[in-house]
Amino acid sequence: MSNTHTLEKPVGGYRWIILSLVFFATTVNYLDRQVISLLKDDYLEPLFNWSETDYAHIVMVFQLSYAIGMLGAGWIIDKIGTKLGYALSLTVWSLAAIGHAIARSTFGFMAARSVLGVSESGNFPAAIKTVAEWFPKKERALATGLFNSGTNIGAIIAPLTVPFIALTMGWEWAFIITGGIGLLWLVFWFLFYEIPSKHKKLSKQEFEYIHSDLDETSNAANAQGNEKVRWSSLLSFRQTWAFILGKFMTDGVWWFYLFWLPTYLNKEYHMSKTDNAVPIAVVYMMTTVGSIFGGWLSGYFIKQGWPVAKARRTAMLIFALSVLPVVFATTLGQISYWYAVLLIGIAASAHQAWSANIFTTVSDMFPKKAVASVTGIGGMAGGLGGLVISQSAGVLLDHYKLIGSIETGYFIMFIICGLSYISAWVIFNALAPGMKKVAI
């Protein structure tokens, strides 16, 4: 049976207003980071004479900075609280995104990507901590799936707007306009956000519903969740390593889709940025559905009386298996590029569903005061996994491009993508079979 109270329908829905702010921040987060991939082939590559390896290095700098930043971001957010931590992160990454417009060399872009990576790393620790503060366990995966769908919305908006801005106003303005949008978010964040125990607009009934899990206390200190926790001590728990390895083995796949999908469509099917806008939008529309459905599914299992651990594990297995068909993307793509697009869309959708659940396992297994720190540690591992995938992809694709068989390079990459999740699922369950709650 589930370890949550069965309560009547809660009165009030202020938690969903808070979630909408997190959703918008996540949308901006992914909008800002994707701009460079959309400008690469038509503007930046010919202007700065980039090779695939040069681009891989720029991506690598972002991912390394993102990974390192994750480690500190989670700790800072747990220490100073979600409200200030989230605001600080978004302010810096918006300014860094705008800063790309003044880059005039490969090194300049690497510097801008470095600052962007460090600052953007705060989004997910802050978002996951916000969900843990504002939602009971049976709604956390759905809430995570909903805000995480912002990554897909950002990825949809980017190809539909960035090429147009670059064409009509210049590539610099694509960075300036998208970066500037995030600064508007700060006004609404400070107007609407506060932790539940201090929020004046939150009803007593909704507060009790949020804190209805039997294995979590509802006292003010726990609700606030910003007690100091040494992140180094968290490495002694198998649950931490389950999350670390789960993120390391799967996040890189998402990075590959995010940064190489426009180039894949260009190199394999000779699509310009205008031509591939619709296929890219289709992929990310599919991932939006996957993110929300993935969060809903484990929540549905919990509401049917399943234990939380069984619900999360089963959902993650379903989505790990759903990724496997992507290995046939290049083969079926020879018949029609739409077959490749749909298989990549299914795999990316399954990734987002997987992500909604593996993120939620942190608040399942750890007290709220450690959620951002553990999320940051796992996020660092995911960033390092992305670094490995991106560097490998750059070298592999340059090699096969040189010998006139770049489709072979993509075929190998899709095999790696397809097998990553089921391998991660096995390791996760070996390390945390019962997802036992950690006592700190």
Side-chain angles (χ1 to χ4, degrees):
M1 38 184 317
S2 172
N3 63 346
T4 57
H5 280 302
T6 301
L7 296 182
E8 296 296 324
K9 185 176 181 180
V11 177
Y14 200 87
R15 64 194 184 282
W16 300 107
I17 296 176
I18 298 299
L19 187 67
S20 69
L21 293 172
V22 178
F23 167 84
F24 184 81
T26 305
T27 300
V28 173
N29 186 275
Y30 267 71
L31 174 63
D32 288 345
R33 75 175 64 178
Q34 200 186 13
V35 173
I36 194 170
S37 69
L38 294 164
L39 299 177
K40 169 183 173 284
D41 292 329
D42 294 336
Y43 296 94
L44 304 180
E45 185 177 286
L47 182 61
F48 298 104
N49 195 29
W50 289 347
S51 67
E52 293 295 335
T53 301
D54 289 329
Y55 180 61
H57 288 159
I58 292 172
V59 173
M60 179 185 68
V61 166
F62 174 82
Q63 291 171 320
L64 182 61
S65 301
Y66 187 86
I68 294 172
M70 270 280 190
L71 196 60
W75 180 81
I76 290 172
I77 290 165
D78 272 333
K79 183 176 181 179
I80 69 175
T82 313
K83 185 173 185 176
L84 291 179
Y86 218 151
L88 177 63
S89 175
L90 197 139
T91 300
V92 177
W93 97 51
S94 295
L95 295 175
I98 294 170
H100 284 66
I102 64 174
R104 290 296 180 268
S105 66
T106 302
F107 178 79
F109 278 97
M110 292 173 70
R113 296 306 280 180
S114 177
V115 178
L116 184 69
V118 170
S119 52
E120 281 204 342
S121 68
N123 183 76
F124 278 94
I128 298 299
K129 188 176 179 69
T130 300
V131 169
E133 289 172 342
W134 277 89
F135 289 85
K137 284 185 178 181
K138 61 187 174 184
E139 288 185 348
R140 285 179 192 170
L142 175 59
T144 301
L146 285 168
F147 91 69
N148 196 41
S149 70
T151 64
N152 314 317
I153 300 302
I156 291 170
I157 293 173
L160 296 177
T161 58
V162 169
F164 176 77
I165 295 172
L167 181 64
T168 57
M169 302 177 67
W171 64 266
E172 295 94 340
W173 280 99
F175 288 110
I176 294 170
I177 292 175
T178 55
I181 292 172
L183 298 177
L184 298 175
W185 175 89
L186 292 169
V187 177
F188 298 95
W189 181 249
F190 282 110
L191 280 176
F192 292 103
Y193 184 83
E194 189 52 87
I195 58 173
S197 61
K198 294 182 178 180
H199 212 296
K200 297 179 180 179
K201 295 183 179 180
L202 184 64
S203 69
K204 181 176 182 293
Q205 294 90 337
E206 189 172 5
F207 180 87
E208 292 175 349
Y209 178 76
I210 290 169
H211 299 93
S212 61
D213 294 302
L214 292 174
D215 61 345
E216 294 184 352
T217 60
S218 59
N219 59 68
N222 188 54
Q224 183 171 335
N226 61 0
E227 300 173 47
K228 295 181 180 179
V229 177
R230 291 178 56 193
W231 65 261
S232 56
S233 67
L234 297 171
L235 296 177
S236 63
F237 299 108
R238 290 166 62 93
Q239 292 91 329
T240 305
W241 286 101
F243 182 66
I244 286 173
L245 294 175
K247 293 290 286 178
F248 176 81
M249 297 178 68
T250 59
D251 271 19
V253 177
W254 178 252
W255 291 97
F256 177 71
Y257 296 145
L258 185 68
F259 288 115
W260 258 273
L261 180 57
T263 297
Y264 169 70
L265 295 173
N266 176 267
K267 303 300 183 184
E268 283 287 283
Y269 307 108
H270 310 292
M271 292 185 182
S272 68
K273 287 297 178 289
T274 303
D275 295 333
N276 67 26
V278 173
I280 291 174
V282 168
V283 168
Y284 289 112
M285 285 171 62
M286 294 174 68
T287 59
T288 300
V289 175
S291 182
I292 297 171
F293 175 75
W296 172 85
L297 184 62
S298 63
Y300 171 78
F301 290 151
I302 293 171
K303 290 179 181 179
Q304 297 306 304
W306 289 30
V308 171
K310 180 182 178 182
R312 303 281 191 243
R313 289 199 309 266
T314 302
M316 290 166 67
L317 176 60
I318 291 171
F319 302 127
L321 294 174
S322 299
V323 176
L324 290 174
V326 79
V327 301
F328 302 108
T330 53
T331 303
L332 294 180
Q334 295 175 9
I335 301 172
S336 170
Y337 71 85
W338 276 111
Y339 288 119
V341 168
L342 291 175
L343 287 177
I344 294 170
I346 292 171
S349 179
H351 168 85
Q352 291 295 70
W354 163 279
S355 185
N357 283 277
I358 195 170
F359 267 131
T360 310
T361 65
V362 178
S363 58
D364 292 336
M365 298 187 295
F366 292 87
K368 294 176 183 177
K369 64 184 179 181
V371 165
S373 294
V374 176
T375 302
I377 294 171
M380 180 195 69
L384 292 176
L387 183 65
V388 171
I389 288 289
S390 294
Q391 187 67 13
S392 300
V395 174
L396 189 70
L397 295 174
D398 265 345
H399 170 72
Y400 282 102
K401 181 179 179 180
L402 185 64
I403 64 176
S405 183
I406 195 169
E407 66 275 2
T408 302
Y410 282 112
F411 177 71
I412 294 171
M413 288 304 304
F414 285 130
I415 290 177
I416 294 171
C417 294
L419 296 177
S420 295
Y421 295 82
I422 193 65
S423 302
W425 185 86
V426 171
I427 293 173
F428 184 94
N429 285 281
L431 289 172
M435 291 175 54
K436 183 179 178 181
K437 190 82 173 185
V438 169
I440 300 178

